[in-house]
């Protein structure tokens, strides 16, 4: 036997030994631990090898097709989030597990889930329950928009709605609303993009997610005009039409509620200051309840006839009260300047 033959004869034995070592190593990794946990299966929490602090923060972005999900996702991506678009819901726990094993490299994950997943969308509820059982903190952001705005957007890009089939765009929108109804009810944050452009939507996302430290509660105080319709993302609605309308005062008509003279006129009316004081106290009670229930976002819609005078002045005062109470607050005047 030559020296080369000897080396060839030894190779199978060496290969078997390496295979044996690899098999033993694999068996050791898969063997049950003494505490009953299975290494490598599911998201491990306290006492099982992966600390709770390693589990990434999770945001699920969903909502109506054409309402701005992609813009919201790109905004989070710009803020340093790891974003996955159109991920089948059944794979969300797996994605969170991979993030937990990244040694802190993937601390924040955003997942876009929508009806493009078709049959996979039915698995979302099961995945959310799985995440809750493993103590994963998750938030749901729901993008909403009016039928008119959605139809206009689909027609502008000349693309069909994912669910319209052989029907019309409005048929697809109706089917999608019904499919997403329960998810919308569970959402932590609902954003109505009907009257928002791309930059305004990004600003709203930045206001909610750009901060390094999560506040206890974030509020959006929005003025609006009843003649233009109620904001669909409002949690609380305030009607200021019980006060005289500055529109009928000729010298105040051209101005808005941002003007000091208009604001003074509004709050010099009987009951105006008392209403503001009592409603601010009521909001303290509501905010405490929201915190106990884990609700982090609230949209307070303040309305008057046209959304120009009374609602704007009141929204400004109310937002200032919330800030003084330690609530991070964003002001939006939806219909100001619309006339």
């Amino acid at each position: 036997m030559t020296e080369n033959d000897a080396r060839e004869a030894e190779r199978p034995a060496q290969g078997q030994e390496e295979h044996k070592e690899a098999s033993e190593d694999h068996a050791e990794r898969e063997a049950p631990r003494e505490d009953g946990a299975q290494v490598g299966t599911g998201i491990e929490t306290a006492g099982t090898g992966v600390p709770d602090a390693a589990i990434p923060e999770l945001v699920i972005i969903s909502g109506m097709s054409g309402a701005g999900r992609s813009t919201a996702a790109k905004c989070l991506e710009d803020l340093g989030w790891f974003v996955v678009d159109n991920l089948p819901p059944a794979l969300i726990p797996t994605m969170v597990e991979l993030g937990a094993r990244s040694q802190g490299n993937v601390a924040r994950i955003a997942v876009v889930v929508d009806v493009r997943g078709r049959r996979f969308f039915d698995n979302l509820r099961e995945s959310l329950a799985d995440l809750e059982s493993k103590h994963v903190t998750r938030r749901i952001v729901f993008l909403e928009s009016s039928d008119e705005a959605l139809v206009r957007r689909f027609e502008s890009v000349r693309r069909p709605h994912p669910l319209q089939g052989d029907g019309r765009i409005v048929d697809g929108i109706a089917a999608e609303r019904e499919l997403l109804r329960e998810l919308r009810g569970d959402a932590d944050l609902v954003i109505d993009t009907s009257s928002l452009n791309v930059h305004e939507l990004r600003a709203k996302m930045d206001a909610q997610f750009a901060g390094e430290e999560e506040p206890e509660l974030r509020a959006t105080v929005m003025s609006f005009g009843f003649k233009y319709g109620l904001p669909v993302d409002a949690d609380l609605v305030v009607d200021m039409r019980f006060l005289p309308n500055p529109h009928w005062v000729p010298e105040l008509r051209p101005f808005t509620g941002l003007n000091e003279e208009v604001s003074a006129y509004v709050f010099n009316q009987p009951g105006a200051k008392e209403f503001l004081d009592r409603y601010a106290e009521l909001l303290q009670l509501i905010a405490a309840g929201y915190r106990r229930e884990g609700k982090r976002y609230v949209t307070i819609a303040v309305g008057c006839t046209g959304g120009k005078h009374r609602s704007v002045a009141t929204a400004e005062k109310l937002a200032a009260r919330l800030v003084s109470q330690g609530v991070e607050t964003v002001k939006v005047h939806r219909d100001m300047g619309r006339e």
Side-chain angles (χ1 to χ4, degrees), residues 71-145:
T71 299
K74 289 176 182 177
C75 181
L76 290 185
E77 190 171 29
D78 292 342
L79 293 174
W81 290 67
F82 185 86
V83 178
V84 183
D85 191 12
N86 198 24
L87 182 73
L91 296 181
I92 294 177
T94 302
M95 178 59 64
V96 175
E97 178 188 355
L98 293 174
R101 296 182 178 280
S102 69
Q103 299 180 344
N105 292 323
V106 181
R108 298 183 297 177
I109 297 175
V111 176
V112 181
V113 177
D114 53 64
V115 294
R116 288 176 296 170
R118 305 291 176 128
R119 58 190 178 89
F120 298 114
F121 196 83
D122 295 334
N123 297 328
L124 180 58
R125 181 62 55 191
E126 181 179 346
S127 293
L128 293 178
D130 187 23
L131 293 171
E132 184 175 357
S133 69
K134 293 168 180 173
H135 309 291
V136 176
T137 300
R138 55 83 178 157
R139 288 175 288 172
I140 299 175
V141 177
F142 192 95
L143 281 300
E144 174 68 275
S145 195

Side-chain angles (χ1 to χ4, degrees), residues 6-20:
R7 282 199 296 268
E8 290 295 330
E10 290 174 359
R11 286 177 182 170
Q14 292 174 351
Q16 292 172 1
E17 185 65 27
E18 292 173 357
H19 176 73
K20 179 179 179 181

Side-chain angles (χ1 to χ4, degrees), residues 2 15 24 33 54-55 60 97 116 136 138 142 149-150 157 187-188 190 210 230 232 267 271 273 289 291 329 338:
T2 66
E24 291 175 350
R33 296 156 56 103
I55 298 177
I60 298 173
E97 178 188 355
R116 288 176 296 170
V136 176
R138 55 83 178 157
F142 192 95
L150 293 176
V157 296
D188 298 281
V190 177
L230 286 170
V232 298
F267 286 98
K273 292 180 180 178
R291 293 186 183 101
T329 306
R338 191 166 179 174

Side-chain angles (χ1 to χ4, degrees), residues 195-240:
S195 58
L196 299 181
N197 59 36
V198 172
H199 304 292
E200 291 170 334
L201 175 56
R202 290 185 66 92
K204 204 156 190 178
M205 291 293 294
D206 284 340
Q208 301 295 342
F209 293 98
E212 294 182 359
E213 296 183 0
E214 282 292 321
E216 289 188 352
L217 183 67
R218 283 175 170 163
T220 296
V221 180
M222 176 189 300
S223 67
F224 74 97
F226 277 97
K227 70 179 182 180
Y228 300 115
L230 286 170
V232 298
D233 55 344
D235 297 297
L236 303 169
V237 177
V238 182
D239 186 354
M240 300 306 298

Side-chain angles (χ1 to χ4, degrees), residues 146-205:
S146 67
D147 287 2
E148 293 78 7
L150 293 176
V151 170
R152 185 170 61 250
R153 291 168 189 172
F154 275 106
E155 289 181 342
S156 67
V157 296
R158 298 182 180 179
R159 296 187 62 185
H161 188 280
L163 296 184
Q164 77 178 73
D166 296 330
R168 301 177 301 161
I169 292 176
V170 291
D171 297 327
I173 292 173
E176 186 176 33
R177 284 200 192 281
E178 183 61 31
L179 182 63
L180 297 177
R181 187 179 304 279
E182 185 175 355
L183 180 62
R184 187 190 187 284
D186 291 340
D188 298 281
L189 174 63
V190 177
I191 300 178
D192 178 20
T193 67
S194 301
S195 58
L196 299 181
N197 59 36
V198 172
H199 304 292
E200 291 170 334
L201 175 56
R202 290 185 66 92
K204 204 156 190 178
M205 291 293 294

